[in-house]
């Protein structure tokens, strides 16, 4: 019978908190940049100009057809050297966090763009017509009239996607970046208490994500009321 | 002011407009009526280019609507349009519904736009609702806001697409009153409506459409007293006996 020993957890908390900050940081940047770029992609995808919509379609299907872990690896291998060349940084600069953020933002944008596209299509055509009839250009109609309503309709889905994204940040372990999961793994490995550490990390993910999901449900119910 | 020459339009195989022509002079009030599916709404949506048409020509105040080079947003800013389902922007307060196009399209300053909006809300008797959201207003009130929103851009003419047909009966008159007031002030209007009382009182001329054609055109008096075609007689007997 395996003997559980949780004693190494309290001492590891500060280090785990450092990891949690990295996880939350990646999530925050990727959600914000992903929604922004995803919205641009959604608008491009609905554009009447064929090359524009084709580009967006290709982008979305490309990122939706490859595993996230692979995209992360590409970025850990490519982006750091690219950024070093462009910005003239030394090889000592740690760019793993920046590459992770870029990779997540670009990857999640594909998913966010699908959500925003559904959001745009959920706004009645008459709204766009009314905006155009007032002399707005198609882009003005999109920006002032359609997107605010699309965004509001999609808030629950955007947040749900953010929760998934938060869980997915654990995949940065492929670059040995110490996010929350990575930190837990390192400590557990060091102390020979991997099972306890991973159970503890899993419990933390579970509590945070269920609380957030519950929050989204409350929000959705309030929006419907 | 508005001239339509031989306008054709089809959706795929279905021809909805089959050669419509009409001349509308400045200050005229034109009522367009006819059975549903006759192409009335499509016709007035062609006038401000919301619906493209296939053949023919539409000229509004000297500007040809169908030409590629035409700056449609600029033209539309001068042609007001009122929709059956109001289409107020639900995420903006009434005040912002009235100021957004003034500011973003005409480039008016915030304060002049506000003043203009308040004056127009006064005119449609809704000044005290300026800070509400459209969803908090009744249908009739929303449609009056929509009319004020058009007027805020100082349009040279207005297109109204079944402005009262989505309203509860007790709210129809408050909207018709506002429209009659506009007509009295000399606004050029093209109104698609089944409200024959409004047509009788306010319209200079009536266009009757059936199956994509304008089959009859005349003054309100002629139209009601002596309809020229059998189709018009049938239509009138249906709408007047309600």
């Amino acid at each position: 019978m395996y003997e559980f020993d949780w004693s190494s957890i309290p001492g590891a908390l500060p280090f785990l908190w450092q990891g949690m900050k990295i996880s939350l940081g990646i999530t925050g940047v990727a959600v914000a940049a992903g929604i922004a770029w995803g919205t641009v992609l959604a608008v491009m995808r609905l554009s009447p100009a064929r090359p524009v919509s084709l580009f967006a379609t290709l982008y979305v299907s490309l990122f939706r057809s490859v595993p996230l872990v692979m995209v992360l690896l590409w970025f850990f291998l490519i982006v750091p050297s690219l950024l070093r060349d462009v910005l003239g940084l030394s090889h000592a600069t740690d760019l793993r966090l920046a590459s992770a953020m870029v990779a997540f933002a670009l990857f999640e944008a594909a998913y966010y763009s699908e959500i925003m596209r559904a959001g745009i299509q959920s706004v009645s055509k008459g709204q766009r017509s009314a905006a155009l009839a007032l002399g707005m250009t198609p882009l003005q109609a999109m920006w002032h009239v359609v997107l605010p309503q699309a965004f509001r309709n999609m808030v629950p889905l955007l947040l749900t996607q953010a929760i998934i994204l938060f869980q997915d940040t654990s995949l940065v372990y492929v670059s040995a970046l110490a996010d929350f999961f990575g930190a837990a793994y390192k400590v557990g490995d060091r102390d020979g208490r991997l099972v306890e550490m991973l159970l503890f990390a899993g419990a933390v993910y579970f509590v945070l994500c269920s609380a957030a999901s519950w929050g989204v449900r409350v929000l959705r119910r309030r929006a419907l009321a | 002011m508005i001239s339509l020459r031989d306008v054709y339009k089809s959706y795929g195989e279905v021809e909805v407009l089959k050669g419509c022509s009409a001349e509308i002079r400045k200050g005229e009030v034109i009522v367009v009526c006819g059975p549903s599916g006759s192409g009335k709404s499509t016709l007035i949506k062609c006038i401000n280019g919301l619906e493209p048409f296939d053949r023919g020509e539409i000229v509004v105040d000297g500007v040809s609507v169908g030409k590629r080079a035409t700056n449609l947003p600029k033209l539309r800013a001068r042609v007001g349009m009122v929709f059956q389902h109001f289409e107020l922007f639900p995420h903006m307060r009434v005040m912002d519904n009235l100021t957004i196009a003034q500011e973003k399209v005409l480039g008016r300053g915030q304060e002049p736009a506000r003043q203009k909006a308040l004056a127009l809300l006064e005119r449609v008797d809704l000044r005290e609702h300026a800070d509400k959201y459209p969803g908090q207003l009744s249908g009739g009130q929303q449609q009056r806001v929509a009319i004020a929103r058009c007027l805020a851009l100082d349009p040279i003419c207005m297109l109204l697409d079944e402005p009262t047909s989505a309203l509860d009966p007790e709210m129809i008159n408050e909207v018709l009153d506002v429209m009659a007031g506009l007509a009295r002030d000399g606004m050029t209007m093209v109104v698609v409506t089944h409200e024959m009382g409004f047509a009788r009182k306010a319209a200079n001329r009536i266009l009757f459409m059936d199956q994509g054609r304008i089959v009859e055109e005349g003054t309100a008096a002629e139209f009601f007293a002596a309809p020229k075609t059998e189709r018009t007689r049938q239509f009138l007997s249906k709408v007047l006996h309600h």
Side-chain angles (χ1 to χ4, degrees):
Chain A
M1 182 69 189
Y2 184 85
E3 288 284 323
F4 284 106
D5 175 6
W6 306 95
S7 60
S8 65
I9 290 174
L13 284 179
F15 184 62
L16 291 176
W17 172 238
Q18 292 305 316
M20 183 54 81
K21 282 200 285 195
I22 289 183
S23 296
L24 291 173
I26 295 174
T27 308
V29 168
V31 167
I35 289 179
W37 175 223
T39 303
V40 173
L41 284 169
V43 171
M44 288 171 77
R45 190 142 183 206
L46 297 168
S47 154
R50 280 291 290 159
V52 175
S53 68
L54 193 69
F55 167 80
T57 309
L58 284 177
Y59 181 99
V60 171
S61 39
L62 172 72
F63 276 98
R64 283 172 46 124
S65 333
V66 291
L68 175 54
V69 144
M70 216 156 99
V71 176
L72 284 170
L73 267 178
W74 288 344
F75 274 81
F76 290 132
L77 300 176
I78 298 163
V79 174
S81 57
L82 207 74
L83 280 179
R84 279 191 194 102
D85 288 349
V86 175
L87 302 173
L89 301 170
S90 81
H91 277 268
T93 324
D94 187 359
L95 289 171
R96 284 178 306 171
L97 183 60
S99 335
M101 286 171 173
V102 172
F104 272 104
L106 293 180
F107 185 86
E108 291 297 325
Y111 288 84
Y112 278 121
S113 100
E114 289 293 274
I115 296 175
M116 285 310 293
R117 187 163 69 116
I120 290 168
Q121 286 167 339
S122 76
V123 178
S124 85
K125 288 227 160 47
Q127 287 285 305
R128 183 181 130 90
S129 295
L132 294 179
L134 288 169
M136 290 189 199
T137 61
L139 276 181
Q140 280 179 320
M142 185 57 87
W143 181 250
H144 294 296
V145 175
V146 178
L147 281 182
Q149 297 182 58
F151 190 77
R152 186 179 296 191
N153 293 349
M154 291 297 132
V155 161
L157 280 179
L158 294 170
L159 289 177
T160 304
Q161 184 66 27
I163 296 170
I164 297 172
L165 171 55
F166 173 65
Q167 296 164 11
D168 286 350
T169 54
S170 59
L171 289 172
V172 296
Y173 81 89
V174 293
S175 74
L177 190 64
D179 74 319
F180 179 67
F181 172 75
Y185 191 92
K186 273 184 191 163
V187 175
D189 203 31
R190 182 197 64 195
D191 300 346
R193 286 288 158 212
L194 201 50
V195 174
E196 287 86 345
M197 265 303 166
L198 292 187
L199 282 173
F200 174 71
V204 170
Y205 277 111
F206 175 77
V207 169
L208 285 180
C209 293
S210 347
S213 301
W214 177 78
V216 172
R217 270 202 305 280
V218 170
L219 202 76
R220 191 195 296 255
R221 215 173 306 138
R222 200 173 301 168
L224 289 176
Chain B
M1 161 97 35
I2 302 171
S3 82
L4 301 114
R5 263 172 248 133
D6 219 16
V7 176
Y8 282 82
K9 172 175 180 68
S10 36
Y11 292 111
E13 294 286 289
V14 189
E15 259 197 325
V16 276
L17 298 177
K18 304 170 189 165
C20 293
S21 299
E23 284 292 331
I24 295 152
R25 287 180 292 277
K26 194 170 183 317
E28 267 193 313
V29 176
I30 305 291
V31 161
V32 183
C33 61
S36 59
S38 58
K40 309 169 300 246
S41 289
T42 309
L43 185 71
I44 75 163
K45 282 182 180 147
C46 285
I47 296 177
N48 68 353
L50 276 186
E51 288 279 357
F53 50 93
D54 306 332
R55 268 194 292 146
E57 193 183 27
I58 298 179
V59 179
V60 178
D61 196 37
V63 179
S64 175
V65 179
K67 283 232 178 75
R68 265 191 105 84
T70 299
N71 184 339
L72 275 180
K74 204 171 163 192
L75 176 72
R76 288 178 186 137
R78 304 174 65 215
V79 179
M81 182 159 225
V82 173
F83 296 83
Q84 182 177 3
H85 297 288
F86 332 130
E87 304 300 352
L88 293 177
F89 305 136
H91 58 299
M92 296 180 193
R93 292 171 196 279
V94 166
M95 174 54 79
D96 301 320
N97 265 278
L98 266 70
T99 55
I100 181 144
Q102 294 188 65
E103 290 172 21
K104 305 295 176 196
V105 175
L106 300 186
R108 264 185 206 148
Q110 228 173 24
E111 199 41 41
R114 244 187 93 76
Q115 291 307 327
K116 177 104 196 167
L118 282 174
L120 286 165
L121 285 175
E122 184 82 51
R123 178 167 173 180
V124 297
D125 209 14
L126 290 169
R127 190 179 170 129
E128 65 275 24
H129 299 289
D131 291 325
K132 290 191 181 163
Y133 284 92
Q136 297 170 283
L137 303 181
S138 74
Q141 291 172 325
Q142 289 191 51
Q143 195 59 299
R144 279 145 63 203
V145 172
I147 292 173
R149 180 172 71 175
C150 286
L151 293 175
L153 301 182
D154 300 311
I156 54 168
C157 61
M158 284 181 69
L159 311 170
L160 298 97
D161 185 12
E162 309 212 23
T164 57
S165 50
L167 295 177
D168 291 333
E170 74 269 21
M171 291 169 187
I172 290 177
N173 279 328
E174 64 189 61
V175 172
L176 291 180
D177 286 346
V178 171
M179 287 161 56
L182 286 176
R184 266 198 306 281
D185 293 348
M187 174 63 75
T188 310
M189 296 200 282
V190 183
V191 188
V192 172
T193 186
H194 290 143
E195 291 298 326
M196 290 301 127
F198 173 80
R200 208 189 286 267
K201 264 187 293 180
N204 298 101
R205 275 186 297 144
I206 295 179
L207 304 181
F208 177 75
M209 289 187 71
D210 188 31
Q211 295 177 5
R213 290 194 180 83
I214 298 174
V215 293
E216 182 157 350
E217 181 188 342
T219 65
E222 287 168 2
F223 184 74
F224 288 109
K228 289 171 209 152
T229 68
E230 181 54 33
R231 198 66 196 82
T232 315
R233 270 192 289 276
Q234 284 172 4
F235 175 77
L236 281 176
S237 75
K238 274 181 203 144
V239 291
L240 293 179
H241 288 165
H242 279 296

